[in-house]
Amino acid sequence: MQEWTHISDVLKDEMAGKETELRGWIYRTRSSNKYAFVVLRDASDIIQTVVDAQNVPKEDFEAACKALVESSVIVKGKIMKEPRAPTGYELHITSFKVVHFAEKFPITKDQSIEFLADNRHLWLRSRKMTAIMKIRSTVFGAIDEYFKGKNFYEYHSPIFQAVQCEGGSTLFDVDYFKQKGVFLAQTWQLYAEPAIFALEKIYTIAPSFRAEKSKTSRHLTEYWHAEMEMAWSEFTDIQDHGEALIKHVVKRVLERNQPELKLLERNLKTLEATIAKPFPRMTYTDALKILKEQDATEIPWGKDLRTIEEDMLSKHYDTPIIVTEYPKAVKAFYMKEVPENPDVVQGCDFIAPEGYGEIIGGSQREDKIAEIEKRLKDQGEDPAHYQFYLDTRRYGSVPHGGFGFGVERVISWICGLDNIKDAIAFPRTMTRWTP
Ligand code: 4AD
Ligand code: MG
């Protein structure tokens, strides 16, 4: 199995004076008839290289002068400490081989967001996107690690589904051999609940699809959804796992991705607070009081919190907050009533700090079949399509619940992004499905 030296391996004092070979792409380049100064990048970092016409074969010097940005190269040379170089070291080249001479790279400085989106396949190579994708990789690994560490089984649900779970208005219709009534998954939930009777505690990380007609900085039509479902839960278990998962993910990123957070110029205040402090928990009714007292914003009881109100609330805290016990009418059909107050349900939204919005939605699940059927009908759904789901309440029903964690929403917050689109390599939105 091949291993090769990366730039970050040689940006070290103990490497000074040593010979090394690096592989990478040309990040910046300029030359005269005596020298070529070529900044190289690889997955790990960048390094300035100096090609002196007197120290390399003639054809190597010519290649170094001719090769354009993004040409792929294999170079050899000696590492020297150089405080003026962009990453503090320089490679004094003894051999410069071009693997592929790139054509003129279309992306140059200061291009429009639209141009970069059209050239997303090339923009991925930017230092910003590389940093975000590394953090994303840590986030996925940390989610897995969290759930496996708590003895959850990884379980997979279908993407083609004949039911809705989160409201009919954001369903994507599929032309399923000309059949109607087949959709892309909004969530794994209705296919996860049947499996807790076998596995008890399960999780997944999978794509979810929402036909969001809104163009916002928080909505994708295809996003990655980390979901969990567990038997025997109490409502507090759902909140406790959500909080512990977020803490674990943020902790891993802080441990492993300091260089990337620095490159993104991320202020770490809310990330550090998130791993250090318990998340404030409040009911929806309390949240309305806070909005009234602290933001002079009066929301009539029963109305859902909009993005703008969530943002106002989140500004008062430096960690995510957990809002619970929403009015039944604004939440999904499967959320369990609060026994002593059936106007509200045991549902929770986690709202990220700094205005990054809802990052987790979860609940304890309703177990009364008649209540579920009534709420489905209220939404204009035919309970006949949900009989497989209602069977979960017919044969050994248990208290249970779960949540969904919006992976790109969390990455957006961790990285401090302006738009959720940068949290995924090839974002899909209402107006963008290419490249
Ligand atoms: O709140 P939601 O709709 O909840 C569910 O889907 C439940 N069935 C989950 C469960 O209990 N298993 O979605 C969960 C999370 C939201 O909190 C949000 O973070 C994210 O998914 N999300 C989106 N992320 C990006 N783009 C969108 N269009 C999103 N819609 C929801
Ligand atoms: Mg939600």
Side-chain angles (χ1 to χ4, degrees), residues 229-249:
E229 195 72 31
M230 62 184 284
W232 310 111
S233 68
E234 291 175 11
F235 184 35
T236 46
D237 292 315
I238 305 308
Q239 298 168 59
D240 293 346
H241 275 297
E243 175 166 351
L245 172 64
I246 292 173
K247 284 188 154 77
H248 183 72
V249 166

Side-chain angles (χ1 to χ4, degrees), residues 164-386:
Q164 62 88 22
C165 186
E166 300 302 329
S169 66
T170 62
L171 280 175
F172 268 111
D173 271 302
V174 179
D175 177 355
Y176 199 79
F177 306 105
K178 310 282 177 237
Q179 290 284 328
K180 284 236 172 289
V182 182
F183 316 104
L184 296 181
Q186 293 174 312
T187 164
W188 83 331
Q189 188 183 322
L190 301 196
Y191 293 87
E193 289 183 51
I196 59 151
F197 295 84
L199 298 171
E200 298 188 15
K201 289 161 65 180
I202 55 178
Y203 80 99
T204 197
I205 317 179
S208 276
F209 302 87
R210 306 270 169 115
E212 300 281 359
K213 285 170 201 85
S214 48
K215 284 180 235 161
T216 76
S217 58
R218 298 182 182 165
H219 289 91
L220 295 166
T221 51
E222 175 182 318
Y223 72 97
W224 286 75
H225 204 171
E227 296 187 84
M228 71 82 119
E229 195 72 31
M230 62 184 284
W232 310 111
S233 68
E234 291 175 11
F235 184 35
T236 46
D237 292 315
I238 305 308
Q239 298 168 59
D240 293 346
H241 275 297
E243 175 166 351
L245 172 64
I246 292 173
K247 284 188 154 77
H248 183 72
V249 166
V250 171
K251 181 167 159 273
R252 282 287 183 255
V253 172
L254 287 172
E255 283 165 5
R256 296 182 181 164
N257 296 103
Q258 286 296 334
E260 289 74 32
L261 292 166
K262 190 158 174 237
L263 190 136
L264 296 168
E265 297 177 359
R266 182 66 171 124
N267 177 334
L268 303 182
K269 189 171 159 277
T270 67
L271 303 179
E272 282 165 354
T274 292
I275 59 172
K277 297 201 239 171
F279 298 177
R281 300 182 185 194
M282 66 191 74
T283 64
Y284 160 89
T285 306
D286 292 338
L288 294 195
K289 280 193 201 125
I290 294 170
L291 286 169
K292 186 171 167 196
E293 282 160 20
Q294 305 205 22
D295 303 288
T297 299
E298 200 149 355
I299 313 288
W301 197 96
K303 229 176 134 236
D304 202 1
L305 297 180
R306 294 171 305 168
T307 307
I308 137 165
E309 285 108 31
E310 288 179 349
D311 289 357
M312 274 182 213
L313 262 185
S314 79
K315 296 267 156 65
H316 301 306
Y317 306 92
D318 56 4
T319 70
I321 57 173
I322 309 177
V323 183
T324 60
E325 301 191 13
Y326 283 80
K328 196 198 274 181
V330 305
K331 285 295 183 193
F333 70 87
Y334 53 74
M335 292 194 185
K336 189 176 170 65
E337 291 173 353
V338 172
E340 31 327 331
N341 180 8
D343 289 341
V344 300
V345 288
Q346 299 179 46
C348 52
D349 283 1
F350 286 54
I351 301 169
E354 300 174 77
Y356 281 93
E358 182 194 322
I359 46 178
I360 285 185
S363 79
Q364 189 72 351
R365 313 309 189 192
E366 181 56 73
D367 31 40
K368 298 198 283 289
I369 294 185
E371 174 69 18
I372 299 176
E373 287 187 328
K374 177 179 169 298
R375 280 152 76 182
L376 278 170
K377 281 190 205 140
D378 289 347
Q379 290 185 4
E381 290 294 317
D382 179 357
H385 296 155
Y386 295 80

